[in-house]
Amino acid sequence: MDDLEDLLGAGAYGYFAGGAGDELTLRANETSWSDVRLAPKVLVDVGERDLSVELLGRRRAHPLVVAPMAYQRHAHEDAERGTAQAAAATGSTFVLSSQTTTAPRDVAEVAGPDRWFQLYVFKDRQVSLDLVAEARESGYEALVLTVDFPVAGWRERDKRTGFSVTHPIALNPGGTPLTTEQIFAMHDPTLTWDDVHAFAEAAGMPLLLKGILRPDDAERAVDVGAAGVIVSNHGGRQLDTVLTGAEALPPVVDAVAGRAAVLVDGGIRRGWDVAKALCLGADAALVGRPVLWGLARDGRAGAQAVLEQLVAELDSTLALLGCPRAADLDLSFLA
């Protein structure tokens, strides 16, 4: 990764690559998927494979979702439009961050129909509501409300580099340099369950809560009308030593009991990781940093190459597992 640091600079690279505290959770996110063992079935007809899954009432080409990632213009000039185009070209669901360096309406022009909008709630609630309105008017299909960010995690890489965001975003439309700490201070730490219903009504679209690690929180999300939950520790960027996605997923699946969609992120690096997530009960899996690194190296083409490889790896995994349909993956394929 040293060449990526040279390419992006220490500040941007540290922001994208880094995690909270000692980065134990950042590393565990990947290793926890490696610890899940697959148990293939043999002599199964896998001449034809079907990667499609049902998600939010629609059939998707496959269960790969591009995770929301902020400030993509700091990775490549193609920015969020390039990532959205890569997702559309590969049939991947795309989630746009509310910390986007490209206006949601401009991203929507090139994105496919499977596009969702991720929302942070800011102290100036009107900024958040205006973003929701723009997303709705621009045809985004679902709202992903991030709920694990009352304050920023202790991110020592950002503190060392003093990384500044120099491109326009909703909180900084003039594009004057703001450190991440300045931007994080604009997030609203008073957000509670009582606010969720209001944002769901304002959205006028299905609502997913991102940042769920506990089964009781998952149950409460369903009770307040969420269409889905995303099991996530924010890529290891918030509180160090918390549960990983692979660890937290099974209890959340049990708690939701099919009443809403369950997705997972954190450390998904290969197509077989996606298969493991489905075996553990997820409906889909979000992939973040690998796509971002592809974007950094070669813009839209780089992000698309990463997604194409992940889809191809998932297809190969289905064949080698003896499970021709992704929708049929379950615990029987795990050791």
Side-chain angles (χ1 to χ4, degrees), residues 42-113:
V42 298
L43 296 176
V44 176
D45 182 354
V46 292
E48 295 184 4
R49 275 95 60 197
D50 178 5
L51 276 63
S52 68
V53 295
E54 189 83 12
L55 188 59
L56 298 189
R58 285 182 51 191
R59 178 62 55 176
R60 316 283 169 161
H62 54 72
L64 271 163
V65 178
V66 178
M69 294 173 284
Y71 318 141
Q72 291 183 36
R73 200 168 297 276
H74 277 278
H76 193 276
E77 63 183 7
D78 286 355
E80 290 83 4
R81 282 172 64 98
T83 307
Q85 289 172 310
T90 57
S92 307
T93 300
F94 171 74
V95 188
L96 179 67
S97 169
S98 56
Q99 300 279 45
T100 175
T101 48
T102 310
R105 65 178 67 89
D106 294 336
V107 176
E109 290 177 353
V110 299

Side-chain angles (χ1 to χ4, degrees), residues 143-227:
L143 181 68
V144 176
L145 181 64
T146 294
V147 296
D148 61 357
F149 202 116
V151 298
W154 190 264
R155 304 183 190 179
E156 293 183 352
R157 294 204 207 197
D158 290 347
K159 294 178 184 296
R160 287 196 300 269
T161 67
F163 171 58
S164 293
V165 179
T166 57
H167 297 286
I169 57 173
L171 293 173
N172 182 28
T176 54
L178 289 178
T179 66
T180 54
E181 288 188 342
Q182 290 173 311
I183 293 173
F184 294 158
M186 300 178 189
H187 288 240
D188 189 349
T190 71
L191 185 71
T192 69
W193 287 101
D194 293 336
D195 299 304
V196 171
H197 183 67
F199 277 101
E201 284 193 333
M205 63 182 91
L207 177 72
L208 298 94
L209 300 189
K210 181 177 182 291
I212 300 294
L213 290 174
R214 297 170 55 104
D216 54 347
D217 280 342
E219 287 188 272
R220 191 162 187 181
V222 175
D223 290 342
V224 300

